Amino acid sequence: EIVMTQSPVTLSVSPGERATLSCRASQSVNNNLAWYQQKPGQPPRLLIYGASTRATGIPARFSGSGSGTEFTLTISSLQSEDFAVYYCHLYNSWLGTFGPGTKVDIK
Amino acid sequence: QAQLVQSGAEVKKPGSSVKVSCKASGGTVSKYAISWVRQAPGQGLEWMGAIIHMFGNVKYSQNFQGRVTITADESTSTAYMELSSLKFEDTAVYYCARAPYIRFDSYFDHWGQGTLVTVSS
């Protein structure tokens, strides 16, 4: 079973700054990797799929990259509405696996 | 615009069962894979299982094997998740989530609003 890890656990960023979130798989995987944003009391929201494709309606400040075992979500200039928890999700088999999440909070 | 609407919050006793529903609008429940994901208080996301009703296929996480049953009713475009032998640690928000394809290995582009299940004596 592939294990997903995310780092850092918490990322403190000032509005307007760049945020870089990492997701690592325990073994090499294809690009079936998605990123979700979750705010308190809300369901997750799809941001990125296929490691780098933005979902419909997602602002261009969100970008995904990576391959193999290392994947990155970058938020180029944090807006107030971007402070949330971000999860990566490996969907390369019928068994979906989520990372533990990274909380992005205000510095 | 596709939408998933879940049933309301439940309070259950240990050892009992709970059945959560997820009604799909904007398309039938058979056209997509529907998964169930849960989130314990203050914790991350945990995939429980999924159904592709059109093919009669269901997959379950080993973590819930034997306790979870996922079904769907085409006539009402509703998916269901039943969890039995409830334990205190099953207290969580349960989400249904839709894949944009008729396959299990997919991301989720639509989510239900979540259903809080509280297990309490």
Side-chain angles (χ1 to χ4, degrees), chain A residues 18-101:
Chain A
R18 182 186 191 91
T20 302
L21 289 66
S22 294
C23 175
R24 176 176 293 178
S26 59
Q27 58 186 268
S28 184
V29 299
N30 56 23
N31 286 347
N32 286 351
L33 192 286
W35 290 92
Y36 302 88
Q37 176 193 69
Q38 187 179 33
K39 297 179 181 179
Q42 296 184 19
R45 172 195 180 198
L46 177 67
L47 299 175
I48 301 285
Y49 63 92
S52 61
T53 302
R54 271 191 303 277
T56 302
I58 301 303
R61 63 180 181 274
F62 291 93
S63 63
S65 63
S67 63
T69 61
E70 301 278 349
F71 298 87
T72 300
L73 174 70
T74 301
I75 311 170
S76 60
S77 176
L78 268 156
Q79 306 298 302
S80 57
E81 61 266 30
D82 301 335
F83 293 98
V85 179
Y86 292 83
Y87 295 96
C88 61
H89 169 215
L90 178 66
Y91 56 92
N92 69 332
S93 74
W94 60 265
L95 175 62
T97 305
F98 291 94

Side-chain angles (χ1 to χ4, degrees), chain A residues 36 38 42-44 87 91 94, chain B residues 39 47 60 95 105 108 111-112:
Chain A
Y36 302 88
Q38 187 179 33
Q42 296 184 19
Y87 295 96
Y91 56 92
W94 60 265
Chain B
Q39 186 170 38
W47 183 83
Y60 298 114
Y95 293 104
D105 55 338
F108 308 128
W111 293 69

